Amino acid sequence: RVLDLAHKAAYRSALGNTVFLPKYNIKKLGSEHLLYYVKKNFNNQNTIISSVGVDVDTLVHISEDLNLPNGDANRAPKSKYFGGDVRKSKALDSTYLAVVGEGVSYKDSQSASYAVLQYLLGKGSLMKWEVGQGVLEQNILKANSSDNFAVSAINYNYSDSGLFGFLLAYNGKDVSSVLKGAVNSLRSPTVTETKVNRAKKQLIHSLVSASESSVGVLENITHQAVTTGQVIPFEKLIAAVEAVTVEDVKKAAGKVAGSKLSDRKSVENG
């Protein structure tokens, strides 16, 4: 929900439209609405059929048996990044925040640099009880280490835009110092050769791990096919990461730092 409203603050329309159904509309939703959605979207221009370990002939037969109707491909409206601030008060035990700036689309030549920057900032603990491995966690620990928190860099790449920032959960009373440390990580991250090399190794490890199981491969190729219309082999993805330089990451960090940040916040009542 936090990330959903962060998109709303950033884009307002298109990518800013919520993926959640308002409660007051639940009773109005009937079978005719679902059937209309299926008829409009499940056609031969919008459907991806992917598999691992199945020969092409069998896959063709499966697709023919589905007998998908002819139709038009969905065309998503272009999204313009605006930036903004959304705050919502709810009865929660912790404070949840998403702070994002404008990122890049998956078509951008610098998309691999943003992926490395995400790992440099930190995607949460990679090992049990591991603390302070990413720039985000290190800066927050310097600001306040007395309360529990969880933070992870986020990087969303779409066809014509992207979001880059962090998601933070905090159960203390004063979130300002923790938030300041995290925001400083976006505004002026420490980008060194050592940190970049570590981030690249972590990202490559993630890609290799995803390629070690049939489920991981299937999820990856399906996601790529749905979002980009093509599938890039793991070897090329890894090569793109290996080609990222320190200057590339600094350039990506500079663009994020210079963009207007968008904020979405849920705070504890009482």
Side-chain angles (χ1 to χ4, degrees), residues 151-218:
V151 65
S152 176
I154 53 179
N155 178 33
Y156 291 99
N157 309 115
Y158 302 107
S159 61
D160 55 359
S161 185
L163 290 181
F164 190 96
F166 64 82
L167 177 63
L168 171 67
Y170 177 69
N171 71 349
K173 295 299 182 182
D174 182 15
V175 73
S176 59
S177 60
V178 176
L179 178 60
K180 182 179 179 180
V183 171
N184 285 341
S185 299
L186 289 185
R187 291 300 190 192
S188 54
T190 303
V191 180
T192 65
E193 184 174 0
T194 299
K195 291 181 182 295
V196 169
N197 287 338
R198 182 190 300 122
K200 288 168 65 174
K201 288 179 180 179
Q202 291 174 343
L203 176 52
I204 290 173
H205 178 268
S206 176
L207 291 171
V208 172
S209 297
S211 68
E212 290 179 342
S213 68
S214 297
V215 173
V217 173
L218 183 60

Side-chain angles (χ1 to χ4, degrees), residues 14-92:
L15 286 172
N17 293 331
T18 182
V19 298
F20 293 97
L21 178 70
K23 291 182 179 179
Y24 59 80
N25 272 345
I26 293 178
K27 292 184 178 180
K28 298 179 182 179
L29 187 65
S31 58
E32 66 276 9
H33 297 96
L34 300 180
L35 290 172
Y36 173 77
Y37 178 85
V38 170
K39 183 179 180 180
K40 181 180 179 181
N41 294 282
F42 284 67
N43 59 54
N44 60 352
Q45 296 298 313
N46 289 322
T47 304
I48 298 294
I49 301 174
S50 56
S51 69
V52 174
V54 178
D55 62 84
V56 176
D57 291 337
T58 301
L59 199 60
V60 170
H61 288 310
I62 292 174
S63 64
E64 291 174 346
D65 289 340
L66 290 175
N67 195 27
L68 294 170
N70 296 327
D72 298 323
N74 290 339
R75 300 187 183 280
K78 290 187 177 181
S79 296
K80 180 180 179 181
Y81 182 90
F82 290 95
D85 181 27
V86 178
R87 298 169 187 255
K88 188 171 184 179
S89 181
K90 298 188 68 174
L92 303 172

